[in-house]
């Protein structure tokens, strides 16, 4: 197999056959295809797309690049959730221990920051000592013992996605339906799931902003799941503003801990409960979505979900004290308020600008090997539609130094748009996509 020939063919809008994808991915993971050729192939796919058969073949090739988490002895239902990417999206940190505390095993395999969006692994890395690079054996043992493990792609589990994810991030090849679908589904299927719930974001801060693109992505992943006997439910959620208030790794981990201890912002809790209800029903722990919601509220109110998060952190080498005292998370040297430059209505809080701003402050990567500063970021105190007076605090900037504070101020002056009139915002959850089709969520809430 000559990668050059595959690049030529994809460049010229041709098709790559399943056996060729298998060989190509295998050779890439073995180090026999250089990054520059794989980057060219990814760009050709990005530009010319792939049909459903090719997307399935790439997913299968990526899945076959590593091992699958073995079933646990108790055969507990195993359900995970994955997001297609957002800013301020710390749902996974809340949802995994929450759902696991209610009896459904959650083997959550996440990624690092991608493009302007944050990554669950980087948020977990902010916890002193935490290790997400467990061996397959250790991950399986923890899943058996605690019902939840929080890991990244490794050399054993989803190695192809580990490499391709980082390469796509550095080569502007993220925003592609077949590449996103193959990336997500290959690693999720490697978890040996009973079912999967997807949070497909849409709006200006999503990789694929348009509703039609989100629906197509959701349908693609639902079909890939069906081909592997893994039922998939996707909810389309708003990413035309950040989710919750905190944006930046340690800040988001802190907000997730607040959410687990009963003090999460309303939008974050709403999305968490909607996704959690899907997981609990798919995992057989609740009969209906209506039954699932109070179960989750009780797991938070009783402290059960937070206690499990503590146990998971401890099991993975992290400081469990972070749940009682989030101040053990890395702290920024400079913290400053950002004040409203004028009176008016908050027309927009642009997630993409915020996400890129975090990278500019040192909290994201522009190269595969960049080290990130977990402490930097923003806490946004206003949401679109709110009236603000000139001089009122709108956000807090967390930076390494005074130059970072200046950069942060410039970012916020572009991201938080104050105008005379409000602009329409997307519904927080708008559609539900399953193998049975697409339903409008607001009109017809998730069926039971
Ligand atoms: N999340 C992933 O795991 N992969 C993508 O390509 C995008 C979001």
């Amino acid at each position: 197999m000559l990668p050059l020939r595959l690049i030529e063919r994809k460049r010229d809008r041709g098709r790559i056959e399943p056996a060729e994808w298998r060989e190509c991915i295998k050779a890439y993971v073995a180090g026999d295809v250089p990054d520059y050729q794989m980057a060219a192939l990814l760009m050709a796919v990005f530009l010319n797309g792939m049909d459903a058969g090719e997307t399935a073949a790439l997913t299968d090739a990526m899945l076959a690049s590593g091992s699958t988490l073995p079933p646990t002895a108790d055969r507990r239902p195993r359900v995970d959730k994955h997001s297609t990417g957002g800013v301020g999206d710390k749902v996974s940190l809340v949802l995994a221990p929450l759902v696991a505390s209610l009896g459904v095993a959650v083997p959550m395999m996440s990624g690092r920051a991608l493009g302007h969006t944050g990554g669950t692994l980087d948020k977990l890395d902010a916890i002193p000592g935490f290790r997400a690079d467990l061996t397959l054996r250790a991950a399986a043992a923890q899943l058996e013992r605690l019902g939840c493990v929080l890991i990244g792609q490794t050399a054993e589990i989803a190695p192809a996605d580990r490499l391709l994810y980082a390469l796509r991030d550095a080569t502007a090849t993220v925003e592609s339906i077949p590449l996103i679908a193959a990336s997500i589904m290959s690693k999720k299927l490697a978890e040996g799931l009973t079912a999967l719930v997807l949070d497909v974001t849409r709006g200006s801060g999503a990789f694929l902003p348009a509703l039609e693109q989100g629906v197509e992505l959701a349908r693609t992943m639902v079909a890939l799941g069906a081909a592997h006997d893994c039922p998939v439910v996707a909810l389309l959620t708003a990413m035309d503003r950040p989710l919750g208030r905190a944006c930046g790794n340690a800040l988001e981990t802190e907000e997730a801990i607040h959410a687990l201890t009963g003090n999460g912002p309303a939008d974050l809790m709403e999305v968490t409960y909607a996704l959690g209800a899907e997981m609990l029903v798919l995992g057989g722990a609740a009969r209906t979505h209506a039954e699932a919601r109070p179960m989750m509220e009780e797991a938070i109110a009783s402290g059960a979900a937070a206690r499990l998060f503590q146990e998971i952190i401890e099991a993975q080498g992290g400081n469990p004290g972070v749940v009682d005292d989030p101040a053990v998370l890395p702290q920024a040297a400079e913290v400053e308020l950002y004040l409203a430059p004028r009176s008016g209505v908050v027309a927009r809080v642009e997630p993409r600008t915020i996400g890129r701003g975090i990278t500019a402050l040192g909290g994201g990567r522009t190269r595969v090997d960049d080290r990130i500063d977990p402490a930097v970021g923003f806490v946004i105190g206003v949401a679109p539609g709110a009236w603000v007076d000139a001089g009122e605090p709108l956000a807090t900037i967390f930076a390494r130094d005074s130059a970072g504070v200046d950069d942060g101020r410039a970012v916020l002056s572009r991201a938080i748009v104050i105008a005379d009139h409000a602009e329409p915002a997307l519904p927080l959850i708008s559609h539900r996509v399953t193998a049975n089709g697409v339903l409008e969520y607001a009109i017809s809430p998730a069926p039971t």
Side-chain angles (χ1 to χ4, degrees):
M1 189 267 320
L2 263 182
L4 178 59
R5 298 286 162 258
L6 301 188
I7 299 166
E8 279 172 350
R9 205 180 320 140
K10 233 334 126 200
R11 179 198 65 192
D12 298 338
R13 298 174 195 276
R15 211 172 175 280
I16 296 178
E17 297 305 325
E20 292 173 319
W21 272 125
R22 259 197 312 277
E23 220 181 314
C24 174
I25 294 297
K26 195 169 160 199
Y28 178 58
V29 171
D32 296 335
V33 173
D35 275 347
Y36 59 83
Q37 285 190 314
M38 187 49 83
L41 183 56
L42 289 171
M43 186 56 83
V45 170
F46 179 93
L47 294 173
N48 293 327
M50 297 207 288
D51 63 27
E54 280 182 291
T55 306
L58 173 59
T59 306
D60 290 350
M62 290 172 68
L63 172 61
S65 71
S67 312
T68 302
L69 266 181
T72 46
D74 59 8
R75 304 247 156 206
R76 214 180 315 176
R78 197 183 275 185
V79 185
D80 195 7
K81 164 265 164 188
H82 198 83
S83 162
T84 58
V87 175
D89 177 359
K90 67 283 295 173
V91 170
S92 290
L93 298 185
V94 189
L95 196 57
L98 175 59
V99 169
S101 75
L102 292 164
V104 174
V106 184
M108 190 167 275
M109 195 192 306
S110 310
R112 300 204 171 277
L114 193 60
H116 63 280
T117 68
T120 300
L121 282 189
D122 292 325
K123 292 166 210 180
L124 287 167
D125 267 358
I127 300 171
F130 190 91
R131 303 212 41 188
D133 58 343
L134 303 191
T135 61
L136 184 67
R137 238 177 108 165
Q142 185 175 318
L143 191 62
E144 178 106 44
R145 191 166 69 81
L146 294 179
C148 185
V149 62
L150 304 170
I151 50 174
Q153 316 98 314
T154 68
E156 283 176 297
I157 320 169
D161 185 55
R162 183 169 68 125
L163 298 172
L164 291 173
Y165 190 93
L167 190 60
R168 284 168 59 222
D169 192 28
T171 56
T173 50
V174 173
E175 296 92 340
S176 149
I177 289 178
L179 294 181
I180 295 175
S183 161
I184 292 178
M185 293 308 292
S186 64
K187 63 178 164 277
K188 294 288 137 172
L189 292 168
E191 296 173 354
L193 296 177
T194 316
L196 172 65
V197 175
L198 294 170
D199 178 355
V200 177
T201 52
R202 70 181 183 111
S204 56
F207 287 129
L208 302 169
L211 172 62
E212 307 73 53
Q213 294 173 305
V215 169
E216 191 186 333
L217 177 59
R219 281 184 188 277
T220 304
M221 293 191 283
V222 167
L224 290 171
H228 288 265
D229 290 326
C230 176
V232 176
V233 173
L235 298 185
L236 266 73
T237 67
M239 189 40 68
D240 56 344
R241 67 265 186 191
L243 187 65
R245 301 189 198 105
C247 302
N249 294 303
L251 297 166
E252 291 187 46
T253 303
E254 179 171 352
E255 189 166 80
I257 290 168
H258 291 316
L260 277 169
T261 48
N263 296 304
D267 59 345
L268 172 63
M269 297 319 297
E270 211 44 52
V271 172
T272 302
Y273 287 143
L275 295 164
E278 300 287 358
M279 293 173 78
L280 290 172
V281 171
L282 285 166
R287 274 168 309 169
T288 64
H289 296 96
E291 186 178 296
R293 173 112 182 200
M295 287 167 64
M296 290 184 280
E297 286 168 344
E298 175 54 25
I300 287 184
S302 69
R307 269 195 307 279
L308 180 57
F309 192 41
Q310 224 159 11
E311 288 178 61
I312 295 163
I313 292 170
E314 187 161 30
Q316 295 190 225
N319 178 352
V322 70
V323 175
D324 295 323
D325 179 16
V328 305
L329 291 164
Q331 303 291 318
E334 299 286 332
V335 179
E336 271 208 34
L337 290 176
Y338 172 74
L339 308 179
R342 56 162 282 195
S343 299
V345 177
V346 177
R348 263 176 290 135
V349 179
E350 263 307 325
R352 212 169 264 261
T353 311
I354 299 280
R356 290 192 178 140
I358 294 168
T359 302
L361 294 187
R365 298 178 188 79
T366 51
R367 294 166 51 110
V368 171
D369 51 359
D370 276 350
R371 280 178 67 82
I372 61 171
D373 182 340
V376 301
F378 306 97
V379 173
I380 318 277
V382 286
W387 173 268
V388 294
D389 291 318
E392 182 182 322
L394 300 184
T396 310
I397 303 165
F398 296 79
R400 282 198 274 225
D401 49 30
S402 58
V405 171
D406 292 342
D407 290 344
R409 220 178 273 120
V411 167
L412 292 176
S413 71
R414 292 194 304 276
I416 305 179
V417 179
I418 301 175
D420 295 330
H421 304 285
E423 288 182 11
L426 292 175
L428 188 59
I429 306 172
S430 65
H431 293 79
R432 182 174 188 266
V433 183
T434 66
N436 295 328
V438 184
L439 278 181
E440 277 196 34
Y441 197 84
I443 295 169
S444 174
T448 55

